[in-house]
Amino acid sequence: MSDSITIRQAVLHDAQILTDLAYTTFWDAFHDHPANAPDDLAAYMAEAFSEEQIGRELADEQNIFLIAEIDGEMAGYARLIVGTTEEGVSAERPIELNRLYSHQRFLGKGVGQGLMVECLNTGRDLGCDVMWLGVWEYNPRAQRFYEKNGFSVCGKHVFQLGSDPQTDLLMQKELFTTEDTESTEV
């Protein structure tokens, strides 16, 4: 395996592969955490990652899905949503990084960072001034990743996982700074 990462924008006919990718990567990331009850995880995933739901999201022009592949194999994906915001996010033209996940076997291969760079570039290309996201309070690895990429905490919100209201930290990053331009060049 050459570990050459390619990233492309998803299209409508990618609904099935995105569904499988979203389901698998979310399950791998969160199924074994003791704070996640199996019934709550199953309920959330059944709703959020059905092929019908992913198809609706792909068809919505406010959503942008990016798929990372390594040697033709699906390695990870990201979902951006243009124009959404939360209290605490300081932006005139926001873009939300709603999901960024990698297959477990590709962790450490640059998939997440490659997707992050592409997400930031996409936000800039669309003229967005701030990218923001919610990250689970019990996910320190993801928090460190986002901090490394220049995001800082700006608030909190509730993420409903089945019947469990969980707390996400809100993080944001300005997209047009000198530091940002230097840190995202590949």
Side-chain angles (χ1 to χ4, degrees):
M1 180 183 289
S2 70
D3 292 344
S4 174
I5 301 168
T6 58
I7 298 174
R8 65 177 177 87
Q9 188 166 333
V11 293
L12 276 174
H13 77 265
D14 289 320
Q16 181 58 56
I17 62 168
L18 260 176
T19 299
D20 295 343
L21 190 58
Y23 192 93
T24 300
T25 57
F26 193 87
W27 172 261
D28 287 346
F30 300 114
H31 81 278
D32 62 354
H33 194 285
N36 290 328
D39 289 347
D40 288 326
L41 194 64
Y44 172 78
M45 292 176 65
E47 182 178 326
F49 304 131
S50 70
E51 188 171 349
E52 295 77 22
Q53 178 61 30
I54 298 291
R56 282 191 293 274
E57 292 169 359
L58 276 167
D60 182 342
E61 64 185 31
Q62 297 302 106
N63 287 283
I64 299 165
F65 282 88
L66 302 172
I67 298 174
E69 300 175 7
I70 294 180
D71 296 330
E73 189 175 349
M74 299 300 125
Y77 82 104
R79 176 187 178 205
L80 297 166
I81 308 174
V82 179
T84 64
T85 192
E86 287 270 346
E87 187 175 332
V89 175
S90 302
E92 291 180 25
R93 294 173 315 283
I95 188 165
E96 177 186 3
L97 176 53
N98 182 264
R99 298 180 194 141
L100 192 154
Y101 291 97
S102 172
H103 269 299
Q104 293 294 306
R105 72 180 173 280
F106 294 116
L107 291 178
K109 305 261 187 212
V111 172
Q113 190 59 44
L115 283 165
M116 176 59 74
V117 168
E118 192 62 29
C119 287
L120 293 168
N121 289 337
T122 299
R124 282 189 210 93
D125 290 347
L126 293 170
C128 298
D129 61 338
V130 168
M131 181 171 289
W132 70 275
L133 56 91
V135 59
W136 192 28
E137 66 181 334
Y138 297 124
N139 192 346
R141 181 179 184 173
Q143 291 169 33
R144 285 190 304 273
F145 172 78
Y146 295 127
E147 287 168 355
K148 181 187 99 172
N149 279 281
F151 287 82
S152 59
V153 174
C154 62
K156 296 178 181 180
H157 75 172
V158 172
F159 178 86
Q160 195 68 37
L161 186 80
S163 65
D164 182 17
Q166 297 185 344
T167 301
D168 275 3
L169 302 177
L170 296 178
M171 300 181 82
Q172 72 176 29
K173 173 185 176 68
E174 291 182 28
L175 294 182
F176 292 101
T177 65
T178 304
E179 171 189 308
D180 184 56
T181 304
E182 295 168 0
S183 68
T184 59
E185 292 177 2
V186 179

